[in-house]
């Protein structure tokens, strides 16, 4: 089934940046300043994010199109937007084989290329030394097999160019964290292991390196199973890690199943970051499906971002919100005729909204628990009787288990406290033998709130 934007309507949460801040991470997005004149884009950009990275404006071809001649217009707009939003600014990128102007690409003399690289780093990182919090100093230096990409820098300067670029960037921007960044390094594989070994060597050699970025341009249903483990092994080396360019593409037009699976994938990525102490946060590579690089590079694919081309929130938005523990905004007014609402004699102080989105063999259940009593909950336990044939496979935002037909969800460490009138949203996946019907009997903390 294909979704229209109206069908895809998602609950509205508090600004995601507020929830991210409570989790000790930042939520970023890649900004193209020209899109800010579209009200839907601007509204989301201003409301949801506390980190900004230039999608293209700080790259070499944008900042130094001819040698020694710099162009700052777009980059300055990104800097100004981040400052106006009180958002962190992430610099992308100083040394990269792509979007590299022809004049730099064609230098074959090592001394000239090294000078050009240093001049570029000095100019760009130096100009924004008071603004940029972290730099992707070198981007995409690996081939898939873990060998060095044969960029002009590698061919002309040799292996040492990465250490040289990092060292120069430290001089130009002493307060910025210095990162290396790549794609398809998201799970444990030959490429990420090459990055891991390089970072270990750089640290051992005293080269300035503070962080590693994992782009995470993913395909729906294909988050690597070693995703969190991979982040953790880098963190254990003593560097910060970040998801730097997250998007999750699928064939278009998007099916409901793929949008649901995409939401689960976004959730997995955000939860992996939250589970790793040194993960500084997640950056999505854009805002909406109408402005994404994906269809240009992968014809027939797209729908990779959390908002659709009409700026309607997709299930992926809710998944990010839930993973961050965001509160649903604007709870509806209590209805005195509803037995679940406060003021009714003998009412249970809880209300549950249960929605299952199914496919042929399984479904994703989304459960909103609302405290309709006068007192806050400090913890909660939900029980429900699953219809016959349904079996829990995994869940999130709670500790889930099943015994016989009884499904139990206990609060996670971060969402046990629910104020009077407050809500918490949790979810799970299950298989079914033909029916993805929702339960009709459930309790919270022993009180019947069906
Ligand atoms: O600026 C020109 C414009 O003058 C011209 O009219 C237009 C015609 O096509 O092209 C414009 O340049 C485009 C540029 O984006 C700015 O919009 C390029 O063609 C286009 O190739 C370029 O794509 C960018 C791509 O990097 C280039 O490699 C994407 O927007 C950007 O999202 C993408 O981002 C990269 C990260 O930097 C690194 N990791 C992978 C990621 C996705 O490819």
């Amino acid at each position: 089934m294909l979704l229209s934007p109206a069908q895809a309507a998602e609950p509205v949460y508090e600004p995601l940046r507020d929830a991210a801040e409570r989790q000790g991470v930042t939520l970023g997005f890649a900004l193209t300043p020209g899109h800010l004149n579209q009200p839907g884009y601007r509204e989301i950009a201003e409301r949801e994010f506390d980190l900004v990275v230039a999608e293209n404006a700080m790259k070499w071809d944008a900042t130094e199109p001819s040698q020694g001649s710099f162009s700052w217009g777009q980059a300055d707009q990104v800097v100004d937007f981040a400052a106006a939003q009180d958002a962190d600014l992430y610099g992308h990128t100083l040394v990269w084989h792509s979007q590299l102007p022809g004049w730099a690409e064609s230098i074959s003399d090592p001394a000239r290329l090294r000078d050009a690289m240093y001049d570029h780093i000095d100019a760009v990182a130096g100009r924004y030394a008071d603004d940029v919090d972290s730099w992707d100093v070198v981007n995409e230096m690996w081939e898939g097999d873990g060998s060095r990409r044969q960029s002009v820098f590698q061919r002309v300067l040799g292996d040492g160019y990465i250490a040289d670029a990092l060292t120069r960037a430290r001089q130009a921007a002493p307060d910025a964290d210095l990162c290396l960044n790549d794609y398809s390094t998201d799970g444990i594989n030959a490429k990420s292991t090459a990055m891991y070994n390089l970072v270990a060597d750089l640290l051992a050699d005293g080269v300035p390196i503070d962080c590693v970025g994992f782009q995470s341009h993913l395909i729906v249903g294909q988050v690597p199973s070693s995703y969190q483990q991979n982040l953790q092994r880098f963190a254990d080396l003593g560097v910060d890690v970040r998801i730097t360019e997250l998007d999750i593409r699928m064939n278009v037009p998007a099916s409901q199943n793929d949008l649901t699976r995409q939401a689960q994938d976004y959730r997995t990525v955000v939860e992996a970051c939250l589970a790793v102490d040194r993960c500084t946060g997640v950056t999505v590579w854009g805002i909406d499906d109408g402005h994404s690089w994906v269809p240009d590079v992968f014809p027939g694919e797209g729908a990779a971002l959390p908002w659709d081309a009409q700026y309607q929130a997709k299930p992926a938005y809710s998944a990010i919100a839930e993973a961050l523990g965001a509160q649903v905004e604007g709870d509806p007014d209590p209805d005195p005729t509803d037995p679940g609402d406060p003021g009714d004699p003998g009412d249970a102080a809880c209300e549950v909204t249960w929605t299952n989105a199914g496919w042929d063999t399984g479904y994703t259940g989304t459960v909103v628990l609302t405290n309709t009593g006068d007192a806050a909950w400090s913890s909660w336990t939900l029980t429900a009787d699953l219809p016959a044939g349904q079996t829990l496979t995994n869940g999130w935002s709670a500790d889930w288990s099943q015994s016989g037909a009884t499904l139990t969800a206990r609060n996670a460490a971060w969402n046990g406290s629910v104020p009077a009138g407050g809500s918490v949203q949790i979810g799970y996946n299950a298989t079914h033998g033909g029916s993805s019907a929702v339960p009709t009997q459930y309790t919270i903390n022993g009180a019947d709130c069906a």
Side-chain angles (χ1 to χ4, degrees):
M1 178 175 61
L2 303 183
L3 283 186
S4 69
Q7 286 172 296
E10 294 295 312
V12 176
Y13 292 85
E14 66 178 322
L16 300 183
R17 60 181 288 166
D18 295 345
E21 190 177 351
R22 282 201 302 279
Q23 300 286 351
V25 297
T26 49
L27 183 67
F29 81 109
L31 169 65
T32 293
H35 301 338
L36 287 169
N37 58 16
Q38 296 169 33
Y41 184 95
R42 177 178 276 276
E43 191 181 316
I44 297 167
E46 291 181 345
R47 182 177 192 272
E48 306 293 359
F49 302 102
D50 57 358
L51 180 144
V52 178
V53 57
E55 184 175 9
N56 289 296
M58 288 193 183
K59 292 172 179 174
W60 197 315
D61 64 349
T63 51
E64 194 182 3
S66 23
Q67 188 162 18
S69 165
F70 292 90
S71 157
W72 303 117
Q74 296 268 314
D76 283 354
Q77 287 181 46
V78 175
V79 175
D80 292 347
F81 180 82
Q85 291 305 118
D86 195 21
D88 282 0
L89 181 63
Y90 193 97
H92 175 79
T93 174
L94 294 171
V95 180
W96 186 30
H97 68 279
S98 182
Q99 288 172 288
L100 182 66
W103 67 262
E105 176 84 46
S106 64
I107 300 176
S108 57
D109 174 66
R112 282 189 53 225
L113 184 60
R114 187 179 310 278
D115 283 349
M117 182 175 85
Y118 285 168
D119 289 349
H120 185 75
I121 291 171
D122 291 351
V124 181
R127 178 179 177 85
Y128 299 121
D130 293 337
D131 306 300
V132 169
D133 298 286
S134 309
W135 269 109
D136 283 337
V137 176
V138 183
N139 191 40
E140 298 176 4
M141 63 292 281
W142 302 109
E143 298 290 351
D145 65 0
S147 63
R148 284 291 184 93
R149 179 191 288 277
Q150 293 301 305
S151 68
V152 65
F153 303 105
Q154 179 70 33
R155 281 185 278 110
V156 176
L157 300 177
D159 282 352
Y161 86 91
I162 294 176
D164 290 346
L166 287 161
T167 302
R168 192 72 176 199
R170 175 65 91 227
Q171 292 165 16
D175 297 330
D177 283 343
L178 305 180
C179 314
L180 303 178
N181 189 52
D182 214 325
Y183 63 89
S184 299
T185 49
D186 315 310
I188 295 179
N189 56 34
K191 194 171 178 180
S192 65
T193 297
M195 182 74 106
Y196 178 87
N197 290 334
L198 172 65
V199 171
D201 288 348
L202 292 169
L203 288 167
D205 292 346
V207 175
I209 166 104
D210 304 299
C211 34
V212 177
F214 301 83
Q215 294 186 8
S216 302
H217 294 293
L218 300 173
I219 297 170
V220 71
Q222 297 184 25
V223 181
S225 57
S226 55
Y227 196 87
Q228 181 180 324
Q229 196 189 345
N230 189 45
L231 296 178
Q232 187 66 58
R233 70 171 174 158
F234 280 84
D236 290 344
L237 279 178
V239 290
D240 289 340
V241 295
R242 182 173 189 89
I243 315 309
T244 48
E245 303 184 14
L246 178 61
D247 49 28
I248 303 177
R249 62 187 185 267
M250 60 185 70
N251 291 329
V252 289
S255 68
Q256 173 151 28
N257 283 354
D258 278 349
L259 292 173
T260 301
R261 285 203 297 171
Q262 179 190 52
Q264 176 58 31
D265 292 344
Y266 267 93
R267 184 191 319 274
T268 299
V269 169
V270 174
E271 289 185 347
C273 176
L274 294 181
V276 174
D277 270 354
R278 295 198 67 146
C279 185
T280 62
V282 174
T283 300
V284 286
W285 202 244
I287 288 179
D288 66 289
D289 294 335
H291 299 102
S292 164
W293 67 287
V294 170
D296 291 341
V297 176
F298 298 102
E301 297 181 57
L305 289 165
W307 286 266
D308 72 15
Q310 286 76 43
Y311 305 110
Q312 298 297 308
K314 295 161 59 182
Y317 154 82
S318 294
I320 296 170
E322 290 161 21
L324 292 171
Q327 299 291 316
V328 177
E329 250 192 6
D331 282 332
D333 288 339
D335 171 5
T337 65
D338 179 338
D341 278 331
D344 253 15
D347 92 40
C350 53
E351 194 170 72
V352 171
T353 310
W354 203 301
T355 315
N356 289 349
W359 57 91
D360 46 353
T361 57
Y363 69 89
T364 296
T366 302
V367 188
V368 180
L369 287 53
T370 301
N371 177 356
T372 56
D374 297 329
W377 299 337
S378 57
S379 64
W380 46 262
T381 300
L382 165 78
T383 67
D385 285 337
L386 287 183
Q390 297 187 7
T391 305
L392 171 75
T393 49
N394 67 305
W396 47 92
S397 304
D399 181 12
W400 292 88
S401 60
Q402 183 177 359
S403 172
T406 305
L407 181 69
T408 302
R410 293 193 172 79
N411 62 273
W414 48 266
N415 65 1
S417 148
V418 181
S423 294
V424 60
Q425 183 163 321
I426 60 180
Y428 68 102
N429 286 327
T431 56
H432 67 73
S435 165
S436 58
V438 301
T440 53
Q441 292 285 318
Y442 26 75
T443 69
I444 295 179
N445 294 343
D448 186 355
C449 42

